[in-house]
Each structure stands twice: as C-alpha cells, then as structure tokens.
Amino acid sequence: KKATFFRASLFLLAMAVVPNAEALEITSAMRQGRDFRTSKFGNGVGYAEFAVHDYKLTPAMAYTVNYGLAGLIKAHQQVFKRKVGRGFRVRFRIFGKFEDYAEYSKVRYGKTVEKNLLGFFSGSTKEIVSWKQDPRLTWRLVPTLLHEGCHSIMDEMFGTLPFWMVEGSADWLGEAPAWLQKADGLRRDQHNRWIRLNDMRKKDRLPDLRVYLLSNSYKQWNKMFDDNTGMGYDIGWAIFDFFMTTHPQSTAFLGAVVNDPAVLRGRRTGKMEAAFVQAIDKQWPGGIKLLEKGWHTWIQRKSAAAEQTLRQERAKQRR
C-alpha cells in the first residue's frame, strides 16, 4: 500500500510540474503592433491587416474579410456622410485558442474575457482581438470580425458616437452583406432576435426608448436588462434596423442627426447621448414618443415575418 501511495504521489507531483500547454509568449512586436501583415484584395492592398497565432488564415478568409470591409466602408460613407483616410487599415489579431485570446486580453489590456465576448476593438491601439470560436460556432467569426471592423470605421470617421449606435450599427452593418446571409446560423439568430423582441413588446418589457438612448455603458445595460448585456445589443440593432430599412428618409434623418452641430458639440463635452436625444425630439415628427411607437410596430412586423420564415423552413425539413 505504501509503494502504491508513493507511486501515486510521484505521478501527481509530475503532473503539477509539467505544464498542460505551452504558455503564450507576448512579444514586443505584438505589444507595439509591428506583427501585422497586409493582405491582397482585388488588384491592390486590402483594408485588412492580420496578425494570427495558431490560426490558419486562408486566402479565402482574407478575401471574405476584405470584401466585407469594402462594403462596410461604402455603407458607412453613404449613411454618415464621412470618409475614411486614404491609408486607413483595419487590424485583426486572431488567436486559434481561446486560452491565448484570454491571456493576451488580460496581459495587454487588463481585460477578463469569457467565451461570450467573441472579440473586441481597442480604440487606443487600433486593433481588433478575436479567436476562431468554438467548433460548432465557427460561423460567428466572420460576423464578429466585421462587427468589430465597424467599430474601427466609426472610430476613424467620428472617434465617438452615442453608445447604443456604436454597438447597434456594428451589429446591423456587420451582418448586413447579402453574401453573409448564406450562413444559416446567422440568419436564424436574426429571426430569433425579432421574435425575442416582440415577446418583450407583448409583455411590456421593452425599455423606455428615451432611457435606452441615453444609456452610455454596459453597466447600465446590465442593470436595464437584468445582467443580460446581449439584450442591449438586440435593442440597438433593432433601432438601427428601423432607421435603415423603414424608409430612405429615416436613413437620411439618422445621418443628418449624427452630423448635427449640437450632437458634435456633445461629443466634445461628453454629453453626446443627451444631445442626440434632444436632436431627435426636435427633428423627428412627433419626437421620441412617436419614434418609439413606430419602432414597436416595426418589431411586430419583423417578428411576424421571422416566424413565417422559420415555419416554412421547418416544413421543408419535414418533407
């Protein structure tokens, strides 16, 4: 028995001193952003620059991201009436392992990440950090990169925008390209979003629109939605969809408000959300209250369409 105990103790000691995996080395090149490489797109250099770690970046992936970015920049320019600089680039750092993504985020940014944080953009270093995602959710990587790419574009154009719009526009524009809708996981996610929002509407649980538009932090979203930050994204996405797809005049209105002198002054004083709400109250027919009513009706319509689409898809699968 003593011999068995001794062998077991040696085995446990060996397990303790032998690392399970090689620790990530964060080099000075990584810290200084010198390890990014340009990518080709079309007949020239693409908007995307990549730094990858235990992740195989295929030419198809580089093309997909560059194609998406080109469309997103064009869409942002059309809506917000701003242009990016001639040398503007979007820098993507992609890790193959979640553990490395988490370690880099903690050491480089003091940021603790969970798997539900698919990626993030740093305004200070101008880089996007992400990882390849769980095997069953690999479809999420491209939308995540393009969502964060929207943050980079917005940062280039404005620096700061109302909090809800930063996330809502990135969710909507990052998922908007028609070619991306071929991803079944993404399409189902969008349909289910509308159904969730309409369920909240029916239960009178949608937030007061004025209160939501004035929010300026994830902490406020957590409080507003019982620690479900994702609902804050859903609401912002749905509001942006209302402006983008109900009528061309709604889209033009959004672009005009963002560039309103009072809103731009609010950015300099740290009161952009309040200035944005005031501009809507003054310029939208009927103000915030009528906008909120129209938005609720829009949720109802989009949810009905989503439910019909999902029913048709289930019927096809049963055949």
Side-chain angles (χ1 to χ4, degrees):
K1 289 182 178 178
K2 286 183 178 179
T4 302
F5 177 79
F6 182 70
R7 285 195 298 271
S9 298
L10 285 176
F11 174 75
L12 291 173
L13 180 61
M15 290 294 290
V17 298
V18 177
N20 291 326
E22 188 175 330
L24 173 70
E25 179 188 3
I26 301 178
T27 65
S28 59
M30 292 168 68
R31 289 180 180 276
Q32 296 168 16
R34 291 186 287 105
D35 57 338
F36 288 96
R37 298 291 178 266
T38 57
S39 60
K40 295 292 183 180
F41 180 66
N43 296 321
V45 176
Y47 285 108
E49 295 183 353
F50 295 96
V52 297
H53 312 272
D54 287 329
Y55 174 80
K56 184 178 180 181
L57 178 68
T58 64
M61 182 64 168
Y63 178 89
T64 297
V65 173
N66 272 304
Y67 181 84
L69 284 176
L72 289 175
I73 289 170
K74 183 178 180 180
H76 279 76
Q77 289 177 163
Q78 289 174 341
V79 175
F80 299 111
K81 311 305 178 187
R82 297 288 185 98
K83 291 186 177 182
V84 299
R86 190 168 186 174
F88 173 68
R89 296 291 182 270
V90 182
R91 305 194 302 176
F92 298 96
R93 187 177 300 282
I94 308 174
F95 292 93
K97 295 182 289 190
F98 172 78
E99 294 76 15
D100 290 345
Y101 164 60
E103 178 69 10
Y104 180 80
S105 301
K106 185 176 181 179
V107 174
R108 186 76 177 86
Y109 296 103
K111 191 180 186 78
T112 300
V113 301
E114 304 292 341
K115 286 192 175 181
N116 61 354
L117 182 63
L118 308 182
F120 61 89
F121 166 70
S122 168
S124 59
T125 60
K126 310 300 182 189
E127 75 169 0
I128 290 162
V129 186
S130 187
W131 70 294
K132 72 175 182 180
Q133 311 300 312
D134 280 328
R136 63 187 180 85
L137 297 172
T138 53
W139 60 266
R140 282 184 167 181
L141 180 56
V142 170
T144 296
L145 296 181
L146 295 181
H147 173 104
E148 301 303 329
C150 289
H151 291 330
S152 181
I153 295 167
M154 284 289 209
D155 181 75
E156 166 75 5
M157 288 183 169
F158 289 94
T160 305
L161 279 175
F163 181 70
W164 76 268
M165 186 182 293
V166 169
E167 296 298 353
S169 67
D171 252 17
W172 195 91
L173 288 166
E175 296 179 356
W179 55 271
L180 197 56
Q181 302 307 312
K182 295 178 181 178
D184 289 338
L186 179 60
R187 288 192 304 106
R188 281 193 294 269
D189 181 65
Q190 291 182 342
H191 293 322
N192 287 325
R193 268 182 159 184
W194 287 117
I195 293 169
R196 282 198 305 273
L197 289 166
N198 194 48
D199 185 60
M200 291 179 70
R201 182 194 64 81
K202 289 187 289 187
K203 295 176 180 177
D204 197 28
R205 289 174 52 199
L206 287 172
D208 180 285
L209 187 57
R210 182 184 299 272
V211 173
Y212 176 82
L213 293 177
L214 287 171
S215 65
N216 59 14
S217 69
Y218 297 114
K219 185 177 180 180
Q220 290 181 2
W221 280 4
N222 281 338
K223 186 176 181 180
M224 196 177 294
F225 302 110
D226 298 324
D227 292 328
N228 184 4
T229 308
M231 189 54 66
Y233 284 88
D234 288 354
I235 298 291
W237 171 80
I239 294 171
F240 199 78
D241 184 83
F242 176 86
F243 280 117
M244 292 296 292
T245 59
T246 53
H247 196 280
Q249 289 183 357
S250 298
T251 307
F253 174 87
L254 182 64
V257 169
V258 170
N259 287 288
D260 185 284
V263 175
L264 296 178
R265 283 196 300 273
R267 181 180 66 187
R268 293 192 293 271
T269 60
K271 297 180 179 179
M272 179 169 256
E273 284 79 12
F276 186 85
V277 168
Q278 289 171 5
I280 290 179
D281 254 345
K282 289 180 181 179
Q283 300 175 37
W284 185 270
I288 290 281
K289 283 298 180 185
L290 203 57
L291 172 64
E292 184 172 40
K293 186 177 180 180
W295 176 57
H296 281 209
T297 301
W298 189 244
I299 289 173
Q300 188 175 8
R301 290 180 182 176
K302 296 289 280 195
S303 175
E307 287 178 338
Q308 182 179 5
T309 299
L310 291 176
R311 281 196 300 269
Q312 292 173 344
E313 289 183 354
R314 286 193 293 269
K316 287 181 181 179
Q317 290 173 359
R318 288 195 295 266
R319 292 172 187 169

